[in-house]
Amino acid sequence: EPEVTQTPSHQVTQMGQEVILRCVPISNHLYFYWYRQILGQKVEFLVSFYNNEISEKSEIFDDQFSVERPDGSNFTLKIRSTKLEDSAMYFCASSSSSISTYEQYFGPGTRLTVT
Amino acid sequence: GQSLEQPSEVTAVEGAIVQINCTYQTSGFYGLSWYQQHDGGAPTFLSYNALDGLEETGRFSSFLSRSDSYGYLLLQELQMKDSASYFCAVREDTGRRALTFGSGTRLQVQP
């Protein structure tokens, strides 16, 4: 069964450093998302991406964040200058069509620890 | 503002039936989804309601009442592996694809 993959599974970085989180969405999916989940809390939307551009973003997704689809398979989230409060589990998700975006397929997540 | 309210914890025994409620207050409403998340795992899609009524998928069913801004997830014949967190999530309108998640209900299934 096709699945969303993410690398790395765990990233430790120092405050102020740049990190890039990588995702490979399901191959025939068209819509891509990043969410984050601070330990013990709810999943929070960051950004959605379609047709090589951001289609919507949340208040969390400020100028420190960026997304890119550098090739036909990868989807990345970059945090330019990490802060302690960026420590969270980051999930990539994808969905196949505009109609079925209620059914999003999540990757296993990258746990980001900022020290 | 936006809010999705769920009970924080529910405990039930194996074989029993449990209902997890979700009330929502969002700027728009297009549909209600349910996701399951095991500890350390990713959210997994369970069910979706866009219209009022009951949707059944095996042991899991989901209900929606748009007029009451209320839905629930019903889990039947509980198994130990059903111990997980369950999140309701709203898609607010057709122009948006983001899901707004509730805070989650931690279900503990006991033998």
Side-chain angles (χ1 to χ4, degrees), chain A residues 9-11 21 28 40 44 50 57 61 64 66-67 76 92 96 99 115:
Chain A
S9 57
H10 192 191
Q11 174 91 48
L21 311 183
N28 62 346
E44 298 177 291
Y50 169 69
K57 59 184 180 180
F61 194 88
Q64 292 301 311
S66 62
V67 290
T76 63
C92 173
S96 60
I99 295 172
T115 62

Side-chain angles (χ1 to χ4, degrees), chain A residues 4-110:
Chain A
V4 176
T5 60
Q6 291 184 244
T7 54
S9 57
H10 192 191
Q11 174 91 48
V12 181
T13 189
Q14 288 189 328
M15 198 166 52
Q17 294 297 303
E18 175 184 285
V19 295
I20 298 176
L21 311 183
R22 292 182 167 82
C23 168
V24 179
I26 295 174
S27 61
N28 62 346
H29 283 188
L30 301 175
Y31 299 87
F32 315 119
Y33 315 85
W34 284 101
Y35 291 84
R36 79 172 186 191
Q37 185 176 33
I38 295 170
L39 188 63
Q41 297 187 24
K42 65 180 178 181
V43 176
E44 298 177 291
F45 170 74
L46 294 178
V47 65
S48 65
F49 194 86
Y50 169 69
N51 203 25
N52 286 320
E53 61 183 24
I54 291 174
S55 49
E56 56 188 306
K57 59 184 180 180
S58 72
E59 293 173 351
I60 302 168
F61 194 88
D62 61 21
D63 292 344
Q64 292 301 311
F65 291 87
S66 62
V67 290
E68 200 175 47
R69 188 154 164 85
D71 53 44
S73 59
N74 290 284
F75 180 50
T76 63
L77 174 69
K78 182 193 291 187
I79 308 175
R80 288 191 184 80
S81 177
T82 50
K83 303 188 281 274
L84 293 176
E85 53 265 38
D86 293 328
S87 294
M89 182 73 91
Y90 287 80
F91 291 106
C92 173
S94 67
S95 61
S96 60
S97 72
S98 178
I99 295 172
S100 64
T101 55
Y102 58 82
E103 183 175 356
Q104 298 181 11
Y105 291 79
F106 284 74
T110 293

